[in-house]
Amino acid sequence: MFSAAIGAVAGVSLSRRRRVAAAGAGAAALAASEAVARHRQRPNEIPALWHRILSAGALAAPVGWAVGRATGAGPVAVATGAGGVAGALGLRPQKVVLGPVFGAVWGRALAALDPRMPASLVAATTVVAYRVLSAAVFRDAQVNLLAEKVDPADLPFVVPLESRTRYVGTDYVRTLAAVLGGTYVRGAPDAGIVPSLDALAGPELDPATVDPRVRRFYEHTSRYTLDIVPEWRPWVRPGYLLYRTVVARPLGQANVPMNQREALRGVHSRIDTIDLDGDEVPDIRGWIRSFADDDAPIYTGIYTTYRDSERGYVSVGFPLPQASFTATLVPRARDGGGLTLSSRSDLPHPGHYLTYIDPESRELTTLAVPGFAEELHVYVSPEEGEVRAEHAFWVFGLPFLVLHYRISPKPDPASS
């Protein structure tokens, strides 16, 4: 039904006359496309690429029509804009650059054919042509449908905790405790993001070799203060500025400081816990980081550990509306008693996963996001003798951000 509606609107947008017939033809064409794609779709696969491309073109048609009516823009301007939007939605930096460049070239070709070509047709053909070219050039998938409507126990590397509202914020764990019926502690005074580093033991990590100061940070995180120095690559700054304005701030999640000036606002760090079974041992640990001056959220992450065979893992779930973005990281020993947590691994579990949680059945539909990677190094600085951390991020192999952390013990209240 949804595809038919898109097709009908696209048909009206593309037609100059006989719009009722065009709407019917568009609805029938896109509905038939979806039916064939769904029939051929295998379990845990997303719909066929050709159907997704056709749908994208149909969506672009009414947008192009509206832009043409509002601005009177010609084929070059409309195609450049359509290519730019299509490239930005591709997320991959190369696609972001390719989109408007391809759109401008395509628009010039269309203008040579017909300078008065309808904007709806320009936008639709630009998006379709760009998507075809993009699929031919960039063959590795941006996302993969990993599982559809499965029990959470089938995906131990996914944190199945979502936000029940459109805003996550710094009170998420308190709200979650009310939903789950557990005992909530705000700012637990001696809590860590992991209960014990021993849970992470495996072939690449012997917890006994980890420096006691690094272990103490992981097991007693609330005893420490944090300072963040962000190091953004210049090419990602414009996109991140748009993202944080449109997504991060309204959502109250993943709002990393843009520059050193913002970082000087300071960071407030606390661990909120939930005890579900009344044994006074936290079952859920949420690490909340916010700006110190106004408590505006930076990150809210639910930290869990689990074991698979002989190896322990850390999974961090970042709640989203009715969804969760999970980073599952494999631990490795680092020279000098440090610890590395990384998603860059050939093992099956490490990686990033976007999951929709069904509000009734609690079943999970999960997308793997292979183009995103991160690596966290926590170590003791040989010069200062204090714990430091570097958290690096990549998208499709391109580094775009490093967060440098200064980790300092809080003053001992007994000594003051």
Side-chain angles (χ1 to χ4, degrees):
M1 181 64 72
F2 182 66
S3 289
I6 294 174
V9 175
V12 171
S13 303
L14 292 168
S15 176
R16 293 181 177 179
R17 57 178 68 90
R18 296 181 180 178
R19 292 188 171 180
V20 173
L30 209 58
S33 173
E34 181 179 36
V36 173
R38 292 293 183 185
H39 178 72
R40 300 181 63 182
Q41 184 179 352
R42 296 178 180 178
N44 295 335
E45 282 187 351
I46 58 178
L49 175 63
W50 56 265
H51 173 66
R52 303 201 310 270
I53 291 175
L54 186 61
S55 298
L59 286 169
V63 176
W65 176 86
V67 170
R69 287 293 297 267
T71 67
V76 175
V78 172
T80 302
V85 171
L89 291 175
L91 299 180
R92 189 194 306 256
Q94 300 93 322
K95 288 187 175 183
V96 174
V97 173
L98 176 63
V101 173
F102 173 83
V105 174
W106 186 261
R108 287 186 179 278
L110 294 179
L113 290 174
D114 182 1
R116 301 184 63 184
M117 182 175 292
S120 57
L121 183 59
V122 172
T125 59
T126 301
V127 169
V128 169
Y130 167 78
R131 291 289 303 273
V132 170
L133 175 65
S134 178
V137 174
F138 306 107
R139 293 183 174 273
D140 52 324
Q142 294 185 153
V143 296
N144 298 314
L145 181 59
L146 185 67
E148 187 173 15
K149 297 182 179 179
V150 301
D151 188 273
D154 295 334
L155 301 177
F157 45 85
V158 168
V159 179
L161 296 174
E162 77 279 32
S163 173
R164 269 71 170 186
T165 66
R166 295 183 180 180
Y167 186 77
V168 180
T170 58
D171 284 331
Y172 169 77
V173 179
R174 177 182 60 82
T175 304
L176 180 64
V179 172
L180 300 179
T183 302
Y184 167 69
V185 177
R186 178 186 176 91
D190 196 26
I193 52 178
V194 300
S196 171
L197 214 59
D198 294 335
L200 304 183
E204 297 174 89
L205 176 67
D206 178 2
T209 66
V210 177
D211 190 292
R213 290 164 288 186
V214 173
R215 174 187 280 265
R216 196 155 43 243
F217 166 71
Y218 273 94
E219 296 177 350
H220 306 281
T221 313
S222 56
R223 295 181 183 177
Y224 293 83
T225 62
L226 303 176
D227 290 314
I228 301 177
V229 178
E231 183 184 345
W232 290 92
R233 293 298 177 101
W235 63 265
V236 81
R237 286 176 176 271
Y240 177 69
L241 183 60
L242 177 63
Y243 156 80
R244 75 180 306 193
T245 302
V246 176
V247 178
R249 284 176 172 169
L251 183 60
Q253 177 67 292
N255 180 29
V256 180
M258 185 71 189
N259 49 43
Q260 180 63 20
R261 180 174 55 82
E262 279 194 332
L264 290 175
R265 296 167 60 186
V267 177
H268 177 63
S269 167
R270 74 173 196 265
I271 306 290
D272 288 4
T273 63
I274 304 175
D275 177 11
L276 296 175
D277 52 16
D279 62 356
E280 298 184 356
V281 176
D283 297 293
I284 295 175
R285 301 163 185 264
W287 192 9
I288 292 91
R289 282 152 288 181
S290 59
F291 288 104
D293 56 354
D294 60 2
D295 203 36
I298 298 174
Y299 274 123
T300 294
I302 304 298
Y303 282 70
T304 67
T305 62
Y306 74 97
R307 297 193 65 79
D308 180 68
S309 185
E310 60 183 5
R311 192 185 303 269
Y313 294 90
V314 175
S315 286
V316 187
F318 299 97
L320 303 170
Q322 212 53 56
S324 173
F325 184 76
T326 300
T328 293
L329 312 173
V330 60
R332 302 189 183 108
R334 189 179 189 273
D335 291 344
L339 175 63
T340 294
L341 296 175
S342 179
S343 69
R344 307 178 90 184
S345 171
D346 293 330
L347 294 167
H349 286 191
H352 294 84
Y353 307 95
L354 180 61
T355 300
Y356 168 76
I357 300 119
D358 188 287
E360 301 297 330
S361 68
R362 308 301 300 165
E363 291 178 324
L364 310 182
T365 297
T366 297
L367 296 173
V369 188
F372 194 81
E374 64 180 289
E375 196 162 88
L376 172 64
H377 301 277
V378 181
Y379 59 94
V380 175
S381 168
E383 295 81 12
E384 301 166 304
E386 294 187 349
V387 179
R388 297 289 180 261
E390 293 181 358
H391 199 169
F393 299 85
W394 294 263
V395 59
F396 295 103
L398 296 177
F400 69 91
L401 170 65
V402 178
L403 297 175
H404 304 275
Y405 287 92
R406 294 179 60 89
I407 302 170
S408 306
K410 293 179 180 178
D412 185 355
S415 63
S416 58

